[in-house]
Amino acid sequence: MAINEGVIANLSRESMASIRKFYRSFFKLCIMFSVLIIIGEIILILYGNDIVILVYGSEFIGLEREMILLGVLLVFVVYSKILEMALSILNLYKQLVFIQMLTFVSTLVLSLIVIIPYGLTGAFIVAIITLSLMVAGQIGVLNHHWQHQGQFE
């Protein structure tokens, strides 16, 4: 996922001018990515397994469940990066590092518990759970920031 540097610079300028303007533009960016994710998910669900078999061969027949899990994982990956960008623009680095440390620890613990018995499916489950924890933390920090900053404008 790549976002043009000009878009990031514009969001940064908006955050300095008005936090409400920043969040308005940020939510528009999130909506745009949501539309792209929905299109990608439809393609993944309808044709994902066929594409994997075409590219990598018949050894990958029967991985439909993993393709669905991959689609879910991609949603969390995209939003965790968008939210990480917002936290960085707003200079909320300490909170970002704290969330990443908690995510790292939860990944280690869950990996030991889930991946060994469930294999590839377990790896997807661990990644989805830890990224959902990260996204929830990021949303919580941004929500707190929005409520706090909104009082002063």
Side-chain angles (χ1 to χ4, degrees), residues 27-82:
F27 289 138
K28 287 178 186 176
L29 183 68
C30 288
I31 290 169
M32 181 191 72
F33 272 102
S34 294
V35 170
L36 294 173
I37 287 171
I38 289 169
I39 293 168
E41 293 293 322
I42 291 170
I43 292 169
L44 184 66
I45 290 169
L46 294 177
Y47 305 109
N49 202 42
D50 296 333
I51 294 169
V52 168
I53 292 169
L54 177 68
V55 173
Y56 295 108
S58 61
E59 302 88 40
F60 291 90
I61 292 176
L63 294 177
E64 291 84 13
R65 177 180 49 201
E66 285 77 6
M67 293 306 289
I68 298 296
L69 291 172
L70 175 64
V72 173
L73 176 64
L74 291 175
V75 171
F76 286 108
V77 167
V78 168
Y79 277 102
S80 70
K81 294 303 173 188
I82 292 172

Side-chain angles (χ1 to χ4, degrees), residues 92-103:
L92 299 171
Y93 299 113
K94 291 178 186 176
Q95 296 89 332
L96 183 59
V97 170
F98 180 75
I99 292 168
Q100 289 172 339
M101 285 179 10
L102 286 177
T103 304

